[in-house]
Amino acid sequence: MTFVEFIITYYPRFLSGTIVTIEQFVLASVLCIFLALLAGLMKLSPRTSVRACATVYIEIFRGTSLLVQLYWIFFVLPLFGITLDKFTAGFVAVGLNVGAYGAELVRGGVLSVPTGQWEAAVSINMSPGKRMSRIILPQALVNMLPAWGNLLIELLKGTALVATIAVADLTFEARQINYSTFMSAQSFGTALIIYYVLARFLLTPLMRRLEKIMARQIGRE
Amino acid sequence: MSEDMTQFPLRLEGENAPMVRFMNVSKSYGELTVLDQLNLDVAPGEMMTIIGPSGSGKTTVLRMLMTLETINKGVIYVDGEPLTHMEKNGVLVPANKMHLRRMRAKIGMCFQHFNLFPHMTALQNCMEGPVQVLGLTKESARQRAEELLEMVAMSDKRDHHPSRLSGGQQQRVAIARALAMRPKVMLFDEVTSALDPEVINEVTGVIRKLVGEHHLTMMMVTHQMGFARDISDRVCFFYGGKIEEQGAPADLFGSPKKQRTKQFLSAVKEAV
Amino acid sequence: MTNWRWDFVWEILPRLIWATGNTLLAAGGGYAIALVLGLALAVAQRSRHKLSKNILRELVEFIRSTPLVLQIFFIFYVGPQFGVWLSPWTAGMVAIGLHYAAYLSEVYRGGIDSVPKGQWEAATAINLTTTQTYWRIILPQALPPSLAGMGNYLVGIFKDTPMLSVIGVGELMHTANAIGSESYRFLEPYTLVGVIFLAISLPTAALVRLLEASVRRTLGMS
Ligand SMILES: Nc1ncnc2c1ncn2[C@@H]1O[C@H](COP(=O)(O)OP(=O)(O)O)[C@@H](O)[C@H]1O
Ligand SMILES: [Mg+2]
């Protein structure tokens, strides 16, 4: 079987795997961003108990492995009465894991906004919520966006682990095709290239674009 | 590119051969021509000082000699041999790495910002080259380094790292480090420009001592006009990548002939 | 708590501790490969040869932006296709080593770039060879700024070793899976694995920070 024949035969499965990978990526990203904002801001709270909650989340998920977390959520959580199907367990684990790393980015981003901005917001009598959402966060976001580009690539790579609980993503399909053809270089090589294209020619340019737009939004060129 | 290399001799020989010769040397960065057809000789044992406005190409001259910059045209000779080129089948071709390394052994340089190795003590800085390059034993390298540190009056600080030394002290160690390689030509590029005024004399004192006690060929770029006048055998005034005027210090400082030299000297005097 | 059995914990703990040794071994082996290969990648990228530089850069990008687990599969399965059989251990450590070499090369590059240009020039002025300049002048100075990144990736490698279970390396995750399928109990093994990871990675991260400070001091650079 030539490589061309290989691709013609198996492209539907690579395609469906890629679509599942993209679905996992998008859902995990949404969860990740939400958790990162929540935990990142909680870590800046003046209340010790709030900070402690965020710290526990961040340290547990950064201190252990994504694979361990995935297995725990998929195999152990049901014992506590929380049963997630494998697709959900997959992106939830990835989102929870990467969200912990994102929380540190959010915290760093907020701290990178000069104190003068806080003081100015106070001086025009903004409420704490408004201060954060209208003055601080937009600037923090621009500052941390480059780091988020890298983190989202890590997240995309992280989704490959959902294959281990049999979510039919790109890695899973590559493995299946390898088992039935023993054409390992072709199966895994094709999958690697697809991930690479997704990361470098879709995600990276998208983030660059976003960085530019955001910078313009807050009047930074 | 198409330069006639036969115009350049393969070696400089004879009694009067200079220690350093720039022959039709040109250097440019893209469009910008920094040095244009430079011809300059320095005799063995001579102390030659280069002065001139900022951007006139003074540093470039020294850096080319230290092989930190390549040249676009011409040939530089050191100690009778081509530095930038080597002989191949009776003509000069651009030097290879090995040739450069052999020739570099003849030249030492001190920088405006000292460039001491921060992770080594003063003594280790002075032993590094002798041990690693010249292949001296640790003991003899140490002995040589200690003598040189003694000469620059830095013996008591020999086990200090550069971060714990003042600018003047660092520059004196840097001079000792360069001398430890036993070069035939020493280059000093504005070695006092980064120093506080009160410590400049520490460094100029060392250079004075070198002029008095050693038969080294030296090229120095400086803005210390008084110092240049005192110790130089010859002073070159650079302007726009060319030698505008040169001569004995008494003549050049006392009765400059060119308009630009006069302007420069009076501007420097006012600044002081 | 949901049926947590301490007696079962004591029963499986020795096996997990044994497997922890394997995990550390795999992480250490992979890290050793990554340290050396990463340096080679970083230095090679400073060559003046434009084409090889760009190819290397793209290779590093490729390795960094594709999943490690897939790289592990690739290296493990592609060998036999061409008649080379790598043991799971070898394939796993090579894959992890290569993956993190790409990351470490970026760390080193940053460290090397942070060394002032004057240091290279001073090294030339005392006529050191390029190799001597790297080993004796540049790398010692590139080390302190690289240490934080190097430490982070040590912890990172450690946390990625569970992926080696997919090709059957008998590390922690693999052992926990085995226990789970023998006993149909997942709660204790997976939880213990998590606890062991926390117990190692958190102190290591702290230790790395201490080490960084002390290296800075020994090199006289603080
Ligand atoms: N690496 C470089 N790239 C481009 N231009 C340079 C470079 N180095 C020096 N120059 C230019 O060459 C000219 C001469 O520089 P230099 O020899 O350092 O002058 P000086 O030491 O007399 O102040 C200046 O115009 C400077 O801007
Ligand atoms: Mg200069």
Side-chain angles (χ1 to χ4, degrees):
Chain A
M1 196 189 263
T2 66
F3 186 59
V4 175
E5 286 166 353
F6 174 82
I7 292 292
I8 290 171
T9 316
Y10 291 105
Y11 93 87
R13 300 189 57 181
F14 280 117
L15 191 65
S16 75
T18 305
I19 290 170
V20 171
T21 288
I22 292 176
E23 287 168 354
Q24 286 279 322
F25 171 77
V26 170
L27 291 167
S29 295
V30 171
L31 180 62
C32 163
I33 291 167
F34 170 75
L35 287 170
L37 277 173
L38 187 69
L41 294 181
M42 279 169 72
K43 251 209 124 167
L44 293 164
S45 160
R47 301 254 302 266
T48 321
S49 56
V50 176
R51 278 206 311 275
C53 283
T55 305
V56 168
Y57 160 64
I58 292 171
E59 294 300 330
I60 284 183
F61 280 87
R62 290 192 348 154
T64 61
S65 305
L66 172 54
L67 197 61
V68 179
Q69 293 153 22
L70 181 67
Y71 281 22
W72 209 89
I73 287 169
F74 189 59
F75 293 108
V76 178
L77 263 194
L79 304 177
F80 295 84
I82 306 170
T83 305
L84 302 177
D85 64 279
K86 57 192 180 187
F87 186 87
T88 312
F91 77 79
V92 165
V94 176
L96 275 166
N97 176 269
V98 184
Y101 291 87
E104 288 294 327
L105 296 188
V106 170
R107 196 178 75 95
V110 169
L111 290 178
S112 75
V113 178
T115 46
Q117 294 295 312
W118 292 84
E119 289 163 5
V122 173
S123 75
I124 57 169
N125 208 11
M126 273 185 159
S127 69
K130 278 258 166 65
R131 228 184 286 162
M132 185 52 86
S133 66
R134 299 205 48 83
I135 307 297
I136 305 303
L137 265 188
Q139 299 183 56
L141 209 55
V142 173
N143 292 346
M144 63 185 167
L145 220 47
W148 271 96
N150 288 331
L151 194 66
L152 289 182
I153 289 180
E154 294 300 321
L155 188 144
L156 174 65
K157 289 161 59 183
T159 62
L161 286 180
V162 302
T164 59
I165 55 168
V167 177
D169 76 333
L170 183 51
T171 300
F172 183 84
E173 293 293 354
R175 206 175 166 188
Q176 295 295 312
I177 295 168
N178 178 59
Y179 284 148
S180 50
T181 62
F182 295 108
M183 296 175 74
S184 307
Q186 290 86 333
S187 322
F188 294 123
T190 306
L192 281 170
I193 290 170
I194 296 175
Y195 276 108
Y196 182 58
V197 169
L198 290 179
R200 191 142 162 76
F201 300 106
L202 280 170
L203 192 52
T204 304
L206 202 77
M207 290 305 288
R208 288 279 144 72
R209 179 73 87 43
L210 200 62
E211 278 170 38
K212 279 228 180 79
I213 295 173
M214 292 293 297
R216 209 170 307 134
Q217 286 270 325
I218 70 158
R220 227 186 268 171
E221 213 53 57
Chain B
M1 216 34 289
S2 54
E3 196 180 11
D4 175 22
M5 293 310 291
T6 55
Q7 61 175 309
F8 300 105
L10 298 178
R11 311 181 53 85
L12 306 178
E13 272 152 337
E15 297 249 307
N16 301 323
M19 178 58 79
V20 174
R21 167 168 290 175
F22 286 76
M23 202 167 164
N24 296 334
V25 173
S26 297
K27 169 75 185 172
S28 48
Y29 294 104
E31 296 285 276
L32 176 75
T33 301
V34 178
L35 289 174
D36 190 17
Q37 295 274 321
L38 177 71
N39 285 291
L40 175 66
D41 280 6
V42 186
E46 186 179 23
M47 169 53 136
M48 206 219 50
T49 300
I50 301 175
I51 60 171
S54 160
S56 58
K58 309 180 296 295
T59 295
T60 306
V61 168
L62 300 194
R63 289 173 57 85
M64 289 189 312
L65 254 176
M66 193 64 255
T67 70
L68 297 172
E69 303 284 350
T70 55
I71 65 176
N72 301 104
K73 272 193 176 146
V75 177
I76 302 175
Y77 297 86
V78 174
D79 196 21
E81 291 181 81
L83 166 79
T84 48
H85 294 72
M86 57 187 208
E87 188 203 321
K88 197 175 178 188
N89 304 328
V91 282
L92 290 179
V93 296
N96 63 16
K97 256 190 180 165
M98 231 164 66
H99 180 80
L100 284 179
R101 236 177 97 65
R102 194 169 61 76
M103 291 302 291
R104 234 180 253 142
K106 300 173 191 281
I107 306 157
M109 182 164 182
C110 294
F111 302 87
Q112 182 175 349
H113 296 286
F114 336 127
N115 297 350
L116 286 182
F117 304 132
H119 55 304
M120 298 179 184
T121 62
L123 188 69
Q124 287 167 340
N125 262 280
C126 298
M127 290 171 60
E128 182 66 12
V131 172
Q132 300 297 327
V133 178
L134 305 180
L136 264 61
T137 61
K138 281 242 165 77
E139 295 82 81
S140 50
R142 169 184 287 268
Q143 197 186 344
R144 179 190 285 197
E146 278 174 351
E147 282 167 21
L148 286 164
L149 287 173
E150 176 79 51
M151 190 201 82
V152 300
M154 286 295 297
S155 292
D156 52 331
K157 298 266 163 52
R158 66 170 171 228
D159 293 323
H160 287 205
H161 280 98
S163 57
R164 293 185 52 200
L165 301 176
S166 73
Q169 292 170 333
Q170 289 190 53
Q171 193 60 286
R172 283 184 280 151
V173 174
I175 293 174
R177 177 178 70 179
L179 290 172
M181 300 301 291
R182 300 268 157 94
K184 294 190 167 177
V185 182
M186 272 289 285
L187 311 174
F188 299 93
D189 187 15
E190 295 196 34
V191 288
T192 56
S193 293
L195 301 181
D196 293 332
E198 68 270 20
V199 300
I200 286 179
N201 286 342
E202 293 176 9
V203 173
T204 52
V206 169
I207 297 175
R208 272 178 211 275
K209 209 151 128 190
L210 278 179
V211 171
E213 297 170 8
H214 296 257
H215 191 71
L216 260 173
T217 308
M218 293 189 249
M219 293 175 71
M220 173 172 83
V221 173
T222 186
H223 290 298
Q224 307 276 114
M225 294 305 154
F227 177 56
R229 186 174 188 155
D230 275 2
I231 69 157
S232 309
D233 297 312
R234 181 158 53 109
V235 178
C236 281
F237 172 62
F238 266 65
Y239 190 92
K242 285 203 174 82
I243 300 176
E244 181 80 7
E245 185 172 351
Q246 58 175 313
D251 298 338
L252 193 120
F253 289 114
S255 51
K257 293 185 182 57
K258 296 279 181 69
Q259 192 56 35
R260 282 182 178 137
T261 321
K262 288 177 193 162
Q263 276 171 359
F264 174 74
L265 288 176
S266 65
V268 174
K269 210 172 284 163
E270 267 163 38
V272 171
Chain C
M1 211 173 189
T2 315
N3 192 17
W4 174 272
R5 272 178 43 196
W6 283 104
D7 62 325
F8 186 60
V9 169
W10 301 128
E11 188 188 321
I12 63 174
L13 202 56
R15 261 175 95 182
L16 288 176
I17 287 173
W18 175 255
T20 306
N22 279 349
T23 287
L24 293 177
L25 208 63
Y31 194 56
I33 295 175
L35 283 179
V36 176
L37 200 62
L39 185 59
L41 279 174
V43 171
Q45 277 180 67
R46 295 185 61 92
S47 87
R48 254 156 292 180
H49 202 277
K50 260 268 166 57
L51 183 70
S52 54
K53 201 154 94 181
N54 288 339
I55 290 175
L56 277 177
R57 274 230 53 72
E58 210 53 44
L59 178 71
V60 167
E61 281 302 327
F62 185 89
I63 296 173
R64 275 160 41 106
S65 46
T66 51
L68 173 57
V69 69
L70 200 53
Q71 293 169 4
I72 293 174
F73 282 135
F74 187 90
I75 290 178
F76 184 59
Y77 287 109
V78 165
Q81 195 182 356
F82 300 100
V84 191
W85 192 81
L86 296 179
S87 74
W89 271 92
T90 315
M93 287 201 294
V94 167
I96 282 197
L98 192 65
H99 192 78
Y100 276 90
Y103 282 94
L104 280 175
S105 74
E106 295 292 294
V107 171
Y108 293 137
R109 254 160 43 95
I112 292 172
D113 286 346
S114 75
V115 178
K117 206 170 125 243
Q119 292 294 309
W120 292 90
E121 298 183 344
T124 307
I126 63 165
N127 216 356
L128 294 179
T129 63
T130 310
T131 316
Q132 286 172 329
T133 304
Y134 267 111
W135 280 115
R136 305 194 52 86
I137 309 300
I138 305 302
L139 294 182
Q141 296 182 60
L143 186 65
S146 304
L147 276 175
M150 290 165 71
N152 287 342
Y153 289 129
L154 173 62
V155 179
I157 272 196
F158 170 66
K159 285 185 295 189
D160 274 352
T161 49
M163 288 189 210
L164 296 179
S165 63
V166 298
I167 53 168
V169 173
E171 46 64 70
L172 263 173
M173 201 68 223
H174 191 260
T175 308
N177 289 342
I179 293 171
S181 55
E182 288 159 18
S183 62
Y184 300 105
R185 292 194 63 84
F186 294 99
L187 172 63
E188 292 86 356
Y190 286 153
T191 308
L192 283 175
V193 169
V195 171
I196 293 173
F197 267 96
L198 274 181
I200 296 176
S201 65
L202 293 185
T204 309
L207 211 67
V208 163
R209 279 193 289 276
L210 282 180
L211 181 79
E212 193 196 346
S214 96
V215 168
R216 268 178 197 284
R217 234 172 300 119
T218 14
L219 289 177
M221 293 175 65
S222 55

